[in-house]
């Protein structure tokens, strides 16, 4: 199953994924610290935005291919103040483009805010949020 879970930092995305998809902490790899090989073989990714920041040189299609069949958590980083530094702006743009493309191929897309999941695409267990 291919799932994208988005939302602001500290909004309960990981706990939502654990509760709704029966995941354990050991099922997740961190986009902040994982290797590209671990990223490719993980069941669930927590921190797609961090992985993208670390591996900006990877082609978007290469990253998208590795996301197929995974449960992926990504912070919404495109809202708020526009960064002054060009590198930060490029990172936000790349993350946004990858999330848009991934949302198209994902079976389920959920936005989590204050621990509550709002289903944007698909159904979870008969549509239970």
């Amino acid at each position: 199953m291919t799932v994208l879970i988005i939302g602001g930092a500290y909004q309960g995305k990981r706990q939502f994924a654990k509760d709704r998809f029966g995941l354990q902490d050991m099922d997740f790899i961190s986009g902040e610290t994982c290797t590209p090989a671990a990223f490719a073989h993980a069941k669930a990714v927590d921190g797609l935005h961090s992985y993208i920041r670390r591996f900006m040189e990877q082609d978007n299609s290469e990253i998208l291919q590795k996301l197929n069949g995974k449960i992926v958590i990504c912070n919404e980083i495109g809202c708020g103040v526009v960064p002054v530094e060009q590198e930060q702006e490029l990172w936000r743009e790349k993350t946004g483009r990858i999330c848009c493309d991934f949302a198209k191929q994902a079976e389920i897309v959920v936005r989590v805010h204050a621990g509550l999941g709002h289903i944007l695409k698909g159904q979870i267990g008969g549509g239970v949020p």
Side-chain angles (χ1 to χ4, degrees), residues 42-86:
K43 182 176 185 178
V45 176
D46 187 356
L48 175 62
H49 58 287
S50 296
Y51 181 85
I52 293 169
R53 179 178 49 208
R54 292 174 52 230
F55 298 101
M56 284 287 291
E57 72 282 354
Q58 279 190 343
D59 185 63
N60 289 12
S61 61
E62 181 182 345
I63 293 172
L64 283 166
Q65 183 180 15
K66 291 178 182 178
L67 295 175
N68 192 32
K70 294 179 179 27
I71 297 172
V72 178
I73 298 172
C74 187
N75 281 5
E76 292 178 330
I77 59 170
C79 302
V81 178
V82 176
V84 175
E85 298 174 10
Q86 184 179 14

Side-chain angles (χ1 to χ4, degrees), residues 5 8-17 19 112-116:
I5 301 172
Y10 311 107
Q11 293 298 310
K13 297 179 297 294
R14 185 180 180 123
Q15 189 62 49
F16 180 88
D19 292 345
V112 176
H113 182 75
L116 301 173

